[in-house]
Amino acid sequence: MRKILVIGAASAIAQETIKLFAKDGDSMYLTDLKYSRLVAISEDFQTRYNVNVFIKEFDVLDFDEHSNLIADAADKLGQIDIILIAHGTLPDQHKMQDNYLDAITEFNINGLSVISLSTVASQYFESRGKGTLAVISSVAGDRGRQSNYLYGSAKGAVSLFLQGLRNRLSTSEIKVITIKPGMVDTP
């Protein structure tokens, strides 16, 4: 039985992944921005799969809480074997290009918060000597497109950061996995 932290647990991709973890009997600590969504998800999985699920409302833009989140999850679960970072937004490019403050917020959500959480996660796994960090990025980060270059630039930064992190940790028992789905039929 694995112990798994999922950040952005209410996303459609995360929920389908959580379902697979639950079928395997894994214990989970789920976070998302809206507590009500977490309650519904945890009750469903606890009832359907009889697994331990802890939940916490969490704002990824609260950078000062990133270390505390991982410490709390490790405390509640006993340890963390896998951290899945699955949060993000797909902003309206036209609105973002006309408002730099919104653009910065979106880049922080899709890019910098992921880099910060990945850094804290890697530190946790280094202290244990093993673990798996899986992060959802995007093929949108492979090249700039006029239709979503703000989103793509954040995902590109995440993918390059993870590539470097994976290379740094390549001689350890820590896996860094970049998940780059193409077009998906999700909200």
Side-chain angles (χ1 to χ4, degrees):
M1 179 176 71
R2 298 169 298 187
K3 314 287 180 89
I4 303 168
L5 166 61
V6 180
I7 302 166
S11 76
I13 291 174
Q15 285 186 53
E16 290 302 312
T17 306
I18 293 164
K19 192 181 299 180
L20 297 173
F21 292 149
K23 286 179 180 178
D24 286 345
D26 297 325
S27 294
M28 291 172 279
Y29 186 108
L30 309 177
T31 72
D32 202 85
L33 190 56
K34 294 197 175 164
Y35 189 77
S36 60
R37 290 189 288 195
L38 291 171
V39 170
I41 294 166
S42 69
E43 287 176 354
D44 178 45
F45 288 129
Q46 286 173 335
T47 301
R48 204 181 321 180
Y49 303 106
N50 194 30
V51 293
N52 291 328
V53 179
F54 302 93
I55 58 174
K56 181 179 178 79
E57 185 175 55
F58 182 70
D59 182 352
V60 297
L61 293 178
D62 190 353
F63 290 89
D64 292 336
E65 286 298 311
H66 289 186
S67 293
N68 293 335
L69 171 70
I70 290 176
D72 189 53
D75 180 58
K76 296 271 190 327
L77 292 169
Q79 67 185 38
I80 305 171
D81 301 308
I82 300 170
I83 296 175
L84 171 63
I85 300 177
H87 73 275
T89 59
L90 182 58
D92 181 321
Q93 179 64 47
H94 294 291
K95 289 180 183 175
M96 297 301 107
Q97 63 199 33
D98 293 333
N99 186 325
Y100 75 93
L101 291 175
D102 287 346
I104 290 168
T105 298
E106 290 298 329
F107 194 89
N108 285 343
I109 291 169
N110 290 305
L112 296 181
S113 70
V114 177
I115 290 170
S116 174
L117 286 161
S118 296
T119 299
V120 175
S122 68
Q123 292 166 345
Y124 170 78
F125 288 139
E126 284 180 289
S127 73
R128 287 195 65 226
K130 62 181 177 178
T132 299
L133 171 63
V135 180
I136 297 178
S137 185
S138 174
V139 296
D142 291 348
R143 70 170 190 244
R145 294 172 178 84
Q146 72 178 22
S147 62
N148 67 350
Y149 61 85
L150 176 66
Y151 175 79
S153 64
K155 293 301 186 177
V158 166
S159 293
L160 282 174
F161 176 84
L162 294 172
Q163 185 180 71
L165 183 62
R166 181 172 31 262
N167 288 336
R168 181 174 73 78
L169 298 172
S170 65
T171 59
S172 72
E173 295 295 316
I174 302 165
K175 297 176 191 81
V176 177
I177 301 168
T178 306
I179 303 163
K180 294 170 81 175
M183 294 293 291
V184 293
D185 186 15
T186 61

